[in-house]
Amino acid sequence: MTMKSRNLVRIVGLVILAATLHTIYAAEPVANITADEALARLKTGNERFVAGKLIHPNEGADRRAEVAKGQKPFAIIVGCSDSRVGPEVVFDQGLGDLFVVRTAGNVVDDVALGSIEYAADHFGVPVILVLGHTRCGAVAAAVAGGEVHGHVGSVVEKLKPAVEEAKGKEGDAVDIAVHANIRNVVKQLRNSNPIILGLVKLGRVKVVGACYDLDTGRVGMVE
Ligand SMILES: [Zn+2]
């Protein structure tokens, strides 16, 4: 085979691959809400929570019956397991609204990633929000260093890059590492090949970071 025909075979192969990927993704359901609309809905819910004016939407028997037939969550929240940062509470949302993955330190391993991919791909959820929070215990443990027991080490290991970023910087090391970790997880998800990266490239999903303030209850975006 000549160099020219080898190149031609390669190009044809790439075109077929691209067309196949496009067909796979195009066949999946597309959300009936945009990422910006979904983020606005989260923001409004959080404002109600901050103001102490919760409306507890979508929690009644009618909603239960509706979502029993199928779910169509409008946002994926990748949050910390911390008992004070329950996404449905801090965003004032109800049944079937949020697809939630929570781990200590809001770190993402393969199982968490698989869960996120499933929701993004199958339900056409337009936005993935990585939600860290102030004074995160997992991040504080990673910053403090020293010995940890059992599988806690797996969490600390995932937080190491953020801890490294905080070293030598002025300010509160835990706070800096919390923000660095949120950015790292956002980056990890955006570049996660092939599912999330593919959806991001098609403009089907947006990955953003945010931080919850334990004192005020406010969720602020992290750029
Ligand atoms: Zn935490």
mmCIF file with all atom_site columns, all heavy atoms in Angstrom, residues 46 49-50 80 82-86 90 102 132-137 174-175 178 211-220:
data_model
loop_
_atom_site.group_PDB
_atom_site.id
_atom_site.type_symbol
_atom_site.label_atom_id
_atom_site.label_alt_id
_atom_site.label_comp_id
_atom_site.label_asym_id
_atom_site.label_entity_id
_atom_site.label_seq_id
_atom_site.pdbx_PDB_ins_code
_atom_site.Cartn_x
_atom_site.Cartn_y
_atom_site.Cartn_z
_atom_site.occupancy
_atom_site.B_iso_or_equiv
_atom_site.pdbx_formal_charge
_atom_site.auth_seq_id
_atom_site.auth_comp_id
_atom_site.auth_asym_id
_atom_site.auth_atom_id
_atom_site.pdbx_PDB_model_num
ATOM 1   N N   . ASN A 1 46  ? -31.115 28.370 45.799 1.00 0.00 ? 46  ASN A N   1
ATOM 2   C CA  . ASN A 1 46  ? -30.154 28.671 46.856 1.00 0.00 ? 46  ASN A CA  1
ATOM 3   C C   . ASN A 1 46  ? -30.470 30.024 47.511 1.00 0.00 ? 46  ASN A C   1
ATOM 4   O O   . ASN A 1 46  ? -30.314 30.174 48.738 1.00 0.00 ? 46  ASN A O   1
ATOM 5   C CB  . ASN A 1 46  ? -28.724 28.645 46.313 1.00 0.00 ? 46  ASN A CB  1
ATOM 6   C CG  . ASN A 1 46  ? -27.683 28.979 47.361 1.00 0.00 ? 46  ASN A CG  1
ATOM 7   O OD1 . ASN A 1 46  ? -26.984 29.976 47.272 1.00 0.00 ? 46  ASN A OD1 1
ATOM 8   N ND2 . ASN A 1 46  ? -27.599 28.172 48.408 1.00 0.00 ? 46  ASN A ND2 1
ATOM 9   N N   . PHE A 1 49  ? -33.046 29.416 50.022 1.00 0.00 ? 49  PHE A N   1
ATOM 10  C CA  . PHE A 1 49  ? -32.452 28.751 51.181 1.00 0.00 ? 49  PHE A CA  1
ATOM 11  C C   . PHE A 1 49  ? -31.723 29.758 52.080 1.00 0.00 ? 49  PHE A C   1
ATOM 12  O O   . PHE A 1 49  ? -31.891 29.760 53.300 1.00 0.00 ? 49  PHE A O   1
ATOM 13  C CB  . PHE A 1 49  ? -31.488 27.661 50.700 1.00 0.00 ? 49  PHE A CB  1
ATOM 14  C CG  . PHE A 1 49  ? -30.683 27.016 51.788 1.00 0.00 ? 49  PHE A CG  1
ATOM 15  C CD1 . PHE A 1 49  ? -31.281 26.147 52.692 1.00 0.00 ? 49  PHE A CD1 1
ATOM 16  C CD2 . PHE A 1 49  ? -29.330 27.275 51.920 1.00 0.00 ? 49  PHE A CD2 1
ATOM 17  C CE1 . PHE A 1 49  ? -30.530 25.553 53.705 1.00 0.00 ? 49  PHE A CE1 1
ATOM 18  C CE2 . PHE A 1 49  ? -28.576 26.690 52.930 1.00 0.00 ? 49  PHE A CE2 1
ATOM 19  C CZ  . PHE A 1 49  ? -29.186 25.828 53.823 1.00 0.00 ? 49  PHE A CZ  1
ATOM 20  N N   . VAL A 1 50  ? -30.944 30.633 51.451 1.00 0.00 ? 50  VAL A N   1
ATOM 21  C CA  . VAL A 1 50  ? -30.178 31.645 52.199 1.00 0.00 ? 50  VAL A CA  1
ATOM 22  C C   . VAL A 1 50  ? -31.137 32.566 52.960 1.00 0.00 ? 50  VAL A C   1
ATOM 23  O O   . VAL A 1 50  ? -30.902 32.914 54.119 1.00 0.00 ? 50  VAL A O   1
ATOM 24  C CB  . VAL A 1 50  ? -29.269 32.463 51.244 1.00 0.00 ? 50  VAL A CB  1
ATOM 25  C CG1 . VAL A 1 50  ? -28.652 33.660 51.960 1.00 0.00 ? 50  VAL A CG1 1
ATOM 26  C CG2 . VAL A 1 50  ? -28.164 31.589 50.673 1.00 0.00 ? 50  VAL A CG2 1
ATOM 27  N N   . CYS A 1 80  ? -19.810 17.070 48.265 1.00 0.00 ? 80  CYS A N   1
ATOM 28  C CA  . CYS A 1 80  ? -19.149 16.430 49.399 1.00 0.00 ? 80  CYS A CA  1
ATOM 29  C C   . CYS A 1 80  ? -20.203 15.703 50.244 1.00 0.00 ? 80  CYS A C   1
ATOM 30  O O   . CYS A 1 80  ? -21.346 16.152 50.347 1.00 0.00 ? 80  CYS A O   1
ATOM 31  C CB  . CYS A 1 80  ? -18.419 17.467 50.249 1.00 0.00 ? 80  CYS A CB  1
ATOM 32  S SG  . CYS A 1 80  ? -17.562 16.728 51.666 1.00 0.00 ? 80  CYS A SG  1
ATOM 33  N N   . ASP A 1 82  ? -20.403 15.578 53.309 1.00 0.00 ? 82  ASP A N   1
ATOM 34  C CA  . ASP A 1 82  ? -20.632 16.334 54.552 1.00 0.00 ? 82  ASP A CA  1
ATOM 35  C C   . ASP A 1 82  ? -22.131 16.519 54.818 1.00 0.00 ? 82  ASP A C   1
ATOM 36  O O   . ASP A 1 82  ? -22.880 16.954 53.935 1.00 0.00 ? 82  ASP A O   1
ATOM 37  C CB  . ASP A 1 82  ? -19.943 17.708 54.420 1.00 0.00 ? 82  ASP A CB  1
ATOM 38  C CG  . ASP A 1 82  ? -19.864 18.437 55.746 1.00 0.00 ? 82  ASP A CG  1
ATOM 39  O OD1 . ASP A 1 82  ? -20.939 18.700 56.338 1.00 0.00 ? 82  ASP A OD1 1
ATOM 40  O OD2 . ASP A 1 82  ? -18.752 18.741 56.201 1.00 0.00 ? 82  ASP A OD2 1
ATOM 41  N N   . SER A 1 83  ? -22.542 16.189 56.047 1.00 0.00 ? 83  SER A N   1
ATOM 42  C CA  . SER A 1 83  ? -23.972 16.187 56.405 1.00 0.00 ? 83  SER A CA  1
ATOM 43  C C   . SER A 1 83  ? -24.612 17.572 56.337 1.00 0.00 ? 83  SER A C   1
ATOM 44  O O   . SER A 1 83  ? -25.831 17.701 56.346 1.00 0.00 ? 83  SER A O   1
ATOM 45  C CB  . SER A 1 83  ? -24.141 15.625 57.816 1.00 0.00 ? 83  SER A CB  1
ATOM 46  O OG  . SER A 1 83  ? -23.438 16.439 58.741 1.00 0.00 ? 83  SER A OG  1
ATOM 47  N N   . ARG A 1 84  ? -23.783 18.609 56.232 1.00 0.00 ? 84  ARG A N   1
ATOM 48  C CA  . ARG A 1 84  ? -24.321 19.976 56.233 1.00 0.00 ? 84  ARG A CA  1
ATOM 49  C C   . ARG A 1 84  ? -24.534 20.551 54.836 1.00 0.00 ? 84  ARG A C   1
ATOM 50  O O   . ARG A 1 84  ? -24.933 21.693 54.689 1.00 0.00 ? 84  ARG A O   1
ATOM 51  C CB  . ARG A 1 84  ? -23.365 20.891 57.018 1.00 0.00 ? 84  ARG A CB  1
ATOM 52  C CG  . ARG A 1 84  ? -23.170 20.456 58.453 1.00 0.00 ? 84  ARG A CG  1
ATOM 53  C CD  . ARG A 1 84  ? -21.947 21.099 59.075 1.00 0.00 ? 84  ARG A CD  1
ATOM 54  N NE  . ARG A 1 84  ? -20.706 20.613 58.475 1.00 0.00 ? 84  ARG A NE  1
ATOM 55  C CZ  . ARG A 1 84  ? -19.489 21.017 58.840 1.00 0.00 ? 84  ARG A CZ  1
ATOM 56  N NH1 . ARG A 1 84  ? -19.357 21.926 59.797 1.00 0.00 ? 84  ARG A NH1 1
ATOM 57  N NH2 . ARG A 1 84  ? -18.419 20.519 58.256 1.00 0.00 ? 84  ARG A NH2 1
ATOM 58  N N   . VAL A 1 85  ? -24.230 19.731 53.817 1.00 0.00 ? 85  VAL A N   1
ATOM 59  C CA  . VAL A 1 85  ? -24.267 20.268 52.453 1.00 0.00 ? 85  VAL A CA  1
ATOM 60  C C   . VAL A 1 85  ? -25.148 19.412 51.527 1.00 0.00 ? 85  VAL A C   1
ATOM 61  O O   . VAL A 1 85  ? -24.778 19.096 50.400 1.00 0.00 ? 85  VAL A O   1
ATOM 62  C CB  . VAL A 1 85  ? -22.826 20.383 51.869 1.00 0.00 ? 85  VAL A CB  1
ATOM 63  C CG1 . VAL A 1 85  ? -22.801 21.330 50.675 1.00 0.00 ? 85  VAL A CG1 1
ATOM 64  C CG2 . VAL A 1 85  ? -21.832 20.888 52.915 1.00 0.00 ? 85  VAL A CG2 1
ATOM 65  N N   . GLY A 1 86  ? -26.324 19.043 52.016 1.00 0.00 ? 86  GLY A N   1
ATOM 66  C CA  . GLY A 1 86  ? -27.239 18.244 51.199 1.00 0.00 ? 86  GLY A CA  1
ATOM 67  C C   . GLY A 1 86  ? -27.759 19.068 50.020 1.00 0.00 ? 86  GLY A C   1
ATOM 68  O O   . GLY A 1 86  ? -28.419 20.090 50.230 1.00 0.00 ? 86  GLY A O   1
ATOM 69  N N   . VAL A 1 90  ? -29.860 22.675 50.144 1.00 0.00 ? 90  VAL A N   1
ATOM 70  C CA  . VAL A 1 90  ? -29.249 23.996 49.910 1.00 0.00 ? 90  VAL A CA  1
ATOM 71  C C   . VAL A 1 90  ? -29.694 24.634 48.589 1.00 0.00 ? 90  VAL A C   1
ATOM 72  O O   . VAL A 1 90  ? -29.568 25.843 48.409 1.00 0.00 ? 90  VAL A O   1
ATOM 73  C CB  . VAL A 1 90  ? -27.695 23.970 50.010 1.00 0.00 ? 90  VAL A CB  1
ATOM 74  C CG1 . VAL A 1 90  ? -27.255 23.380 51.332 1.00 0.00 ? 90  VAL A CG1 1
ATOM 75  C CG2 . VAL A 1 90  ? -27.042 23.235 48.861 1.00 0.00 ? 90  VAL A CG2 1
ATOM 76  N N   . ARG A 1 102 ? -22.135 11.920 45.759 1.00 0.00 ? 102 ARG A N   1
ATOM 77  C CA  . ARG A 1 102 ? -21.418 12.551 46.872 1.00 0.00 ? 102 ARG A CA  1
ATOM 78  C C   . ARG A 1 102 ? -20.310 11.647 47.400 1.00 0.00 ? 102 ARG A C   1
ATOM 79  O O   . ARG A 1 102 ? -20.523 10.464 47.627 1.00 0.00 ? 102 ARG A O   1
ATOM 80  C CB  . ARG A 1 102 ? -22.400 12.891 48.016 1.00 0.00 ? 102 ARG A CB  1
ATOM 81  C CG  . ARG A 1 102 ? -23.366 13.983 47.645 1.00 0.00 ? 102 ARG A CG  1
ATOM 82  C CD  . ARG A 1 102 ? -24.426 14.180 48.702 1.00 0.00 ? 102 ARG A CD  1
ATOM 83  N NE  . ARG A 1 102 ? -23.935 14.920 49.866 1.00 0.00 ? 102 ARG A NE  1
ATOM 84  C CZ  . ARG A 1 102 ? -24.703 15.201 50.924 1.00 0.00 ? 102 ARG A CZ  1
ATOM 85  N NH1 . ARG A 1 102 ? -25.953 14.777 50.976 1.00 0.00 ? 102 ARG A NH1 1
ATOM 86  N NH2 . ARG A 1 102 ? -24.201 15.901 51.929 1.00 0.00 ? 102 ARG A NH2 1
ATOM 87  N N   . GLY A 1 132 ? -18.014 22.084 46.164 1.00 0.00 ? 132 GLY A N   1
ATOM 88  C CA  . GLY A 1 132 ? -17.186 21.959 47.353 1.00 0.00 ? 132 GLY A CA  1
ATOM 89  C C   . GLY A 1 132 ? -17.768 22.846 48.440 1.00 0.00 ? 132 GLY A C   1
ATOM 90  O O   . GLY A 1 132 ? -18.812 23.464 48.252 1.00 0.00 ? 132 GLY A O   1
ATOM 91  N N   . HIS A 1 133 ? -17.117 22.915 49.581 1.00 0.00 ? 133 HIS A N   1
ATOM 92  C CA  . HIS A 1 133 ? -17.615 23.799 50.637 1.00 0.00 ? 133 HIS A CA  1
ATOM 93  C C   . HIS A 1 133 ? -16.503 24.246 51.573 1.00 0.00 ? 133 HIS A C   1
ATOM 94  O O   . HIS A 1 133 ? -15.449 23.615 51.641 1.00 0.00 ? 133 HIS A O   1
ATOM 95  C CB  . HIS A 1 133 ? -18.726 23.106 51.440 1.00 0.00 ? 133 HIS A CB  1
ATOM 96  C CG  . HIS A 1 133 ? -18.244 21.911 52.206 1.00 0.00 ? 133 HIS A CG  1
ATOM 97  N ND1 . HIS A 1 133 ? -17.961 21.951 53.552 1.00 0.00 ? 133 HIS A ND1 1
ATOM 98  C CD2 . HIS A 1 133 ? -17.973 20.650 51.815 1.00 0.00 ? 133 HIS A CD2 1
ATOM 99  C CE1 . HIS A 1 133 ? -17.550 20.753 53.959 1.00 0.00 ? 133 HIS A CE1 1
ATOM 100 N NE2 . HIS A 1 133 ? -17.550 19.945 52.930 1.00 0.00 ? 133 HIS A NE2 1
ATOM 101 N N   . THR A 1 134 ? -16.764 25.327 52.277 1.00 0.00 ? 134 THR A N   1
ATOM 102 C CA  . THR A 1 134 ? -15.760 25.884 53.183 1.00 0.00 ? 134 THR A CA  1
ATOM 103 C C   . THR A 1 134 ? -15.485 24.898 54.331 1.00 0.00 ? 134 THR A C   1
ATOM 104 O O   . THR A 1 134 ? -16.351 24.118 54.707 1.00 0.00 ? 134 THR A O   1
ATOM 105 C CB  . THR A 1 134 ? -16.251 27.218 53.793 1.00 0.00 ? 134 THR A CB  1
ATOM 106 O OG1 . THR A 1 134 ? -17.508 26.988 54.445 1.00 0.00 ? 134 THR A OG1 1
ATOM 107 C CG2 . THR A 1 134 ? -16.433 28.296 52.735 1.00 0.00 ? 134 THR A CG2 1
ATOM 108 N N   . ARG A 1 135 ? -14.285 24.954 54.869 1.00 0.00 ? 135 ARG A N   1
ATOM 109 C CA  . ARG A 1 135 ? -13.855 24.117 55.996 1.00 0.00 ? 135 ARG A CA  1
ATOM 110 C C   . ARG A 1 135 ? -14.157 22.632 55.814 1.00 0.00 ? 135 ARG A C   1
ATOM 111 O O   . ARG A 1 135 ? -14.563 21.936 56.746 1.00 0.00 ? 135 ARG A O   1
ATOM 112 C CB  . ARG A 1 135 ? -14.494 24.622 57.299 1.00 0.00 ? 135 ARG A CB  1
ATOM 113 C CG  . ARG A 1 135 ? -14.141 26.081 57.628 1.00 0.00 ? 135 ARG A CG  1
ATOM 114 C CD  . ARG A 1 135 ? -14.439 26.455 59.066 1.00 0.00 ? 135 ARG A CD  1
ATOM 115 N NE  . ARG A 1 135 ? -15.831 26.399 59.443 1.00 0.00 ? 135 ARG A NE  1
ATOM 116 C CZ  . ARG A 1 135 ? -16.713 27.383 59.215 1.00 0.00 ? 135 ARG A CZ  1
ATOM 117 N NH1 . ARG A 1 135 ? -16.327 28.490 58.590 1.00 0.00 ? 135 ARG A NH1 1
ATOM 118 N NH2 . ARG A 1 135 ? -17.953 27.261 59.622 1.00 0.00 ? 135 ARG A NH2 1
ATOM 119 N N   . CYS A 1 136 ? -13.954 22.159 54.574 1.00 0.00 ? 136 CYS A N   1
ATOM 120 C CA  . CYS A 1 136 ? -14.204 20.741 54.273 1.00 0.00 ? 136 CYS A CA  1
ATOM 121 C C   . CYS A 1 136 ? -13.259 19.864 55.106 1.00 0.00 ? 136 CYS A C   1
ATOM 122 O O   . CYS A 1 136 ? -12.040 20.026 55.064 1.00 0.00 ? 136 CYS A O   1
ATOM 123 C CB  . CYS A 1 136 ? -13.989 20.478 52.780 1.00 0.00 ? 136 CYS A CB  1
ATOM 124 S SG  . CYS A 1 136 ? -14.248 18.763 52.319 1.00 0.00 ? 136 CYS A SG  1
ATOM 125 N N   . GLY A 1 137 ? -13.830 18.941 55.867 1.00 0.00 ? 137 GLY A N   1
ATOM 126 C CA  . GLY A 1 137 ? -13.042 18.081 56.758 1.00 0.00 ? 137 GLY A CA  1
ATOM 127 C C   . GLY A 1 137 ? -12.064 17.193 56.002 1.00 0.00 ? 137 GLY A C   1
ATOM 128 O O   . GLY A 1 137 ? -10.939 16.970 56.449 1.00 0.00 ? 137 GLY A O   1
ATOM 129 N N   . VAL A 1 174 ? -6.547  25.504 53.852 1.00 0.00 ? 174 VAL A N   1
ATOM 130 C CA  . VAL A 1 174 ? -7.711  24.647 53.594 1.00 0.00 ? 174 VAL A CA  1
ATOM 131 C C   . VAL A 1 174 ? -8.616  25.314 52.549 1.00 0.00 ? 174 VAL A C   1
ATOM 132 O O   . VAL A 1 174 ? -9.062  24.668 51.594 1.00 0.00 ? 174 VAL A O   1
ATOM 133 C CB  . VAL A 1 174 ? -8.488  24.341 54.899 1.00 0.00 ? 174 VAL A CB  1
ATOM 134 C CG1 . VAL A 1 174 ? -9.790  23.592 54.604 1.00 0.00 ? 174 VAL A CG1 1
ATOM 135 C CG2 . VAL A 1 174 ? -7.615  23.539 55.859 1.00 0.00 ? 174 VAL A CG2 1
ATOM 136 N N   . ASP A 1 175 ? -8.856  26.606 52.729 1.00 0.00 ? 175 ASP A N   1
ATOM 137 C CA  . ASP A 1 175 ? -9.716  27.327 51.795 1.00 0.00 ? 175 ASP A CA  1
ATOM 138 C C   . ASP A 1 175 ? -9.132  27.312 50.378 1.00 0.00 ? 175 ASP A C   1
ATOM 139 O O   . ASP A 1 175 ? -9.857  27.098 49.391 1.00 0.00 ? 175 ASP A O   1
ATOM 140 C CB  . ASP A 1 175 ? -9.900  28.776 52.282 1.00 0.00 ? 175 ASP A CB  1
ATOM 141 C CG  . ASP A 1 175 ? -11.041 29.464 51.557 1.00 0.00 ? 175 ASP A CG  1
ATOM 142 O OD1 . ASP A 1 175 ? -12.145 28.881 51.523 1.00 0.00 ? 175 ASP A OD1 1
ATOM 143 O OD2 . ASP A 1 175 ? -10.817 30.550 50.999 1.00 0.00 ? 175 ASP A OD2 1
ATOM 144 N N   . VAL A 1 178 ? -9.503  23.814 49.023 1.00 0.00 ? 178 VAL A N   1
ATOM 145 C CA  . VAL A 1 178 ? -10.912 23.538 48.688 1.00 0.00 ? 178 VAL A CA  1
ATOM 146 C C   . VAL A 1 178 ? -11.213 24.068 47.275 1.00 0.00 ? 178 VAL A C   1
ATOM 147 O O   . VAL A 1 178 ? -11.769 23.366 46.435 1.00 0.00 ? 178 VAL A O   1
ATOM 148 C CB  . VAL A 1 178 ? -11.880 24.187 49.724 1.00 0.00 ? 178 VAL A CB  1
ATOM 149 C CG1 . VAL A 1 178 ? -13.288 24.337 49.158 1.00 0.00 ? 178 VAL A CG1 1
ATOM 150 C CG2 . VAL A 1 178 ? -11.925 23.353 51.002 1.00 0.00 ? 178 VAL A CG2 1
ATOM 151 N N   . CYS A 1 211 ? -18.822 26.722 45.297 1.00 0.00 ? 211 CYS A N   1
ATOM 152 C CA  . CYS A 1 211 ? -18.439 26.471 46.686 1.00 0.00 ? 211 CYS A CA  1
ATOM 153 C C   . CYS A 1 211 ? -19.555 26.936 47.625 1.00 0.00 ? 211 CYS A C   1
ATOM 154 O O   . CYS A 1 211 ? -20.094 28.037 47.483 1.00 0.00 ? 211 CYS A O   1
ATOM 155 C CB  . CYS A 1 211 ? -17.135 27.212 46.988 1.00 0.00 ? 211 CYS A CB  1
ATOM 156 S SG  . CYS A 1 211 ? -16.450 26.783 48.604 1.00 0.00 ? 211 CYS A SG  1
ATOM 157 N N   . TYR A 1 212 ? -19.911 26.058 48.557 1.00 0.00 ? 212 TYR A N   1
ATOM 158 C CA  . TYR A 1 212 ? -20.956 26.361 49.528 1.00 0.00 ? 212 TYR A CA  1
ATOM 159 C C   . TYR A 1 212 ? -20.321 26.924 50.804 1.00 0.00 ? 212 TYR A C   1
ATOM 160 O O   . TYR A 1 212 ? -19.353 26.348 51.314 1.00 0.00 ? 212 TYR A O   1
ATOM 161 C CB  . TYR A 1 212 ? -21.734 25.073 49.851 1.00 0.00 ? 212 TYR A CB  1
ATOM 162 C CG  . TYR A 1 212 ? -22.728 25.219 50.967 1.00 0.00 ? 212 TYR A CG  1
ATOM 163 C CD1 . TYR A 1 212 ? -23.985 25.770 50.733 1.00 0.00 ? 212 TYR A CD1 1
ATOM 164 C CD2 . TYR A 1 212 ? -22.422 24.805 52.266 1.00 0.00 ? 212 TYR A CD2 1
ATOM 165 C CE1 . TYR A 1 212 ? -24.905 25.903 51.763 1.00 0.00 ? 212 TYR A CE1 1
ATOM 166 C CE2 . TYR A 1 212 ? -23.336 24.934 53.303 1.00 0.00 ? 212 TYR A CE2 1
ATOM 167 C CZ  . TYR A 1 212 ? -24.573 25.490 53.043 1.00 0.00 ? 212 TYR A CZ  1
ATOM 168 O OH  . TYR A 1 212 ? -25.487 25.629 54.058 1.00 0.00 ? 212 TYR A OH  1
ATOM 169 N N   . ASP A 1 213 ? -20.865 28.027 51.280 1.00 0.00 ? 213 ASP A N   1
ATOM 170 C CA  . ASP A 1 213 ? -20.365 28.648 52.506 1.00 0.00 ? 213 ASP A CA  1
ATOM 171 C C   . ASP A 1 213 ? -21.172 28.137 53.697 1.00 0.00 ? 213 ASP A C   1
ATOM 172 O O   . ASP A 1 213 ? -22.379 28.379 53.784 1.00 0.00 ? 213 ASP A O   1
ATOM 173 C CB  . ASP A 1 213 ? -20.500 30.181 52.367 1.00 0.00 ? 213 ASP A CB  1
ATOM 174 C CG  . ASP A 1 213 ? -19.834 30.923 53.516 1.00 0.00 ? 213 ASP A CG  1
ATOM 175 O OD1 . ASP A 1 213 ? -20.027 30.494 54.678 1.00 0.00 ? 213 ASP A OD1 1
ATOM 176 O OD2 . ASP A 1 213 ? -19.138 31.917 53.265 1.00 0.00 ? 213 ASP A OD2 1
ATOM 177 N N   . LEU A 1 214 ? -20.496 27.421 54.592 1.00 0.00 ? 214 LEU A N   1
ATOM 178 C CA  . LEU A 1 214 ? -21.195 26.827 55.747 1.00 0.00 ? 214 LEU A CA  1
ATOM 179 C C   . LEU A 1 214 ? -21.867 27.867 56.623 1.00 0.00 ? 214 LEU A C   1
ATOM 180 O O   . LEU A 1 214 ? -22.880 27.586 57.277 1.00 0.00 ? 214 LEU A O   1
ATOM 181 C CB  . LEU A 1 214 ? -20.181 26.046 56.624 1.00 0.00 ? 214 LEU A CB  1
ATOM 182 C CG  . LEU A 1 214 ? -19.667 24.705 56.115 1.00 0.00 ? 214 LEU A CG  1
ATOM 183 C CD1 . LEU A 1 214 ? -18.663 24.138 57.097 1.00 0.00 ? 214 LEU A CD1 1
ATOM 184 C CD2 . LEU A 1 214 ? -20.792 23.715 55.873 1.00 0.00 ? 214 LEU A CD2 1
ATOM 185 N N   . ASP A 1 215 ? -21.324 29.085 56.652 1.00 0.00 ? 215 ASP A N   1
ATOM 186 C CA  . ASP A 1 215 ? -21.873 30.123 57.539 1.00 0.00 ? 215 ASP A CA  1
ATOM 187 C C   . ASP A 1 215 ? -23.076 30.852 56.948 1.00 0.00 ? 215 ASP A C   1
ATOM 188 O O   . ASP A 1 215 ? -24.060 31.052 57.639 1.00 0.00 ? 215 ASP A O   1
ATOM 189 C CB  . ASP A 1 215 ? -20.761 31.136 57.883 1.00 0.00 ? 215 ASP A CB  1
ATOM 190 C CG  . ASP A 1 215 ? -19.600 30.452 58.571 1.00 0.00 ? 215 ASP A CG  1
ATOM 191 O OD1 . ASP A 1 215 ? -19.842 29.761 59.578 1.00 0.00 ? 215 ASP A OD1 1
ATOM 192 O OD2 . ASP A 1 215 ? -18.463 30.558 58.077 1.00 0.00 ? 215 ASP A OD2 1
ATOM 193 N N   . THR A 1 216 ? -22.967 31.216 55.670 1.00 0.00 ? 216 THR A N   1
ATOM 194 C CA  . THR A 1 216 ? -24.059 32.003 55.073 1.00 0.00 ? 216 THR A CA  1
ATOM 195 C C   . THR A 1 216 ? -25.071 31.133 54.337 1.00 0.00 ? 216 THR A C   1
ATOM 196 O O   . THR A 1 216 ? -26.203 31.555 54.079 1.00 0.00 ? 216 THR A O   1
ATOM 197 C CB  . THR A 1 216 ? -23.503 33.024 54.055 1.00 0.00 ? 216 THR A CB  1
ATOM 198 O OG1 . THR A 1 216 ? -22.902 32.305 52.976 1.00 0.00 ? 216 THR A OG1 1
ATOM 199 C CG2 . THR A 1 216 ? -22.480 33.940 54.692 1.00 0.00 ? 216 THR A CG2 1
ATOM 200 N N   . GLY A 1 217 ? -24.662 29.941 53.945 1.00 0.00 ? 217 GLY A N   1
ATOM 201 C CA  . GLY A 1 217 ? -25.532 29.067 53.170 1.00 0.00 ? 217 GLY A CA  1
ATOM 202 C C   . GLY A 1 217 ? -25.496 29.376 51.686 1.00 0.00 ? 217 GLY A C   1
ATOM 203 O O   . GLY A 1 217 ? -26.164 28.726 50.869 1.00 0.00 ? 217 GLY A O   1
ATOM 204 N N   . ARG A 1 218 ? -24.679 30.362 51.329 1.00 0.00 ? 218 ARG A N   1
ATOM 205 C CA  . ARG A 1 218 ? -24.638 30.792 49.921 1.00 0.00 ? 218 ARG A CA  1
ATOM 206 C C   . ARG A 1 218 ? -23.708 29.920 49.082 1.00 0.00 ? 218 ARG A C   1
ATOM 207 O O   . ARG A 1 218 ? -22.647 29.522 49.536 1.00 0.00 ? 218 ARG A O   1
ATOM 208 C CB  . ARG A 1 218 ? -24.161 32.258 49.865 1.00 0.00 ? 218 ARG A CB  1
ATOM 209 C CG  . ARG A 1 218 ? -24.405 32.931 48.517 1.00 0.00 ? 218 ARG A CG  1
ATOM 210 C CD  . ARG A 1 218 ? -24.096 34.410 48.579 1.00 0.00 ? 218 ARG A CD  1
ATOM 211 N NE  . ARG A 1 218 ? -25.000 35.146 49.458 1.00 0.00 ? 218 ARG A NE  1
ATOM 212 C CZ  . ARG A 1 218 ? -26.241 35.489 49.149 1.00 0.00 ? 218 ARG A CZ  1
ATOM 213 N NH1 . ARG A 1 218 ? -26.748 35.153 47.987 1.00 0.00 ? 218 ARG A NH1 1
ATOM 214 N NH2 . ARG A 1 218 ? -26.992 36.148 50.014 1.00 0.00 ? 218 ARG A NH2 1
ATOM 215 N N   . VAL A 1 219 ? -24.146 29.622 47.861 1.00 0.00 ? 219 VAL A N   1
ATOM 216 C CA  . VAL A 1 219 ? -23.315 28.891 46.911 1.00 0.00 ? 219 VAL A CA  1
ATOM 217 C C   . VAL A 1 219 ? -22.758 29.893 45.905 1.00 0.00 ? 219 VAL A C   1
ATOM 218 O O   . VAL A 1 219 ? -23.530 30.571 45.217 1.00 0.00 ? 219 VAL A O   1
ATOM 219 C CB  . VAL A 1 219 ? -24.126 27.796 46.177 1.00 0.00 ? 219 VAL A CB  1
ATOM 220 C CG1 . VAL A 1 219 ? -23.282 27.149 45.074 1.00 0.00 ? 219 VAL A CG1 1
ATOM 221 C CG2 . VAL A 1 219 ? -24.610 26.736 47.163 1.00 0.00 ? 219 VAL A CG2 1
ATOM 222 N N   . GLY A 1 220 ? -21.440 30.021 45.858 1.00 0.00 ? 220 GLY A N   1
ATOM 223 C CA  . GLY A 1 220 ? -20.810 30.950 44.909 1.00 0.00 ? 220 GLY A CA  1
ATOM 224 C C   . GLY A 1 220 ? -20.085 30.168 43.822 1.00 0.00 ? 220 GLY A C   1
ATOM 225 O O   . GLY A 1 220 ? -19.520 29.108 44.082 1.00 0.00 ? 220 GLY A O   1
#
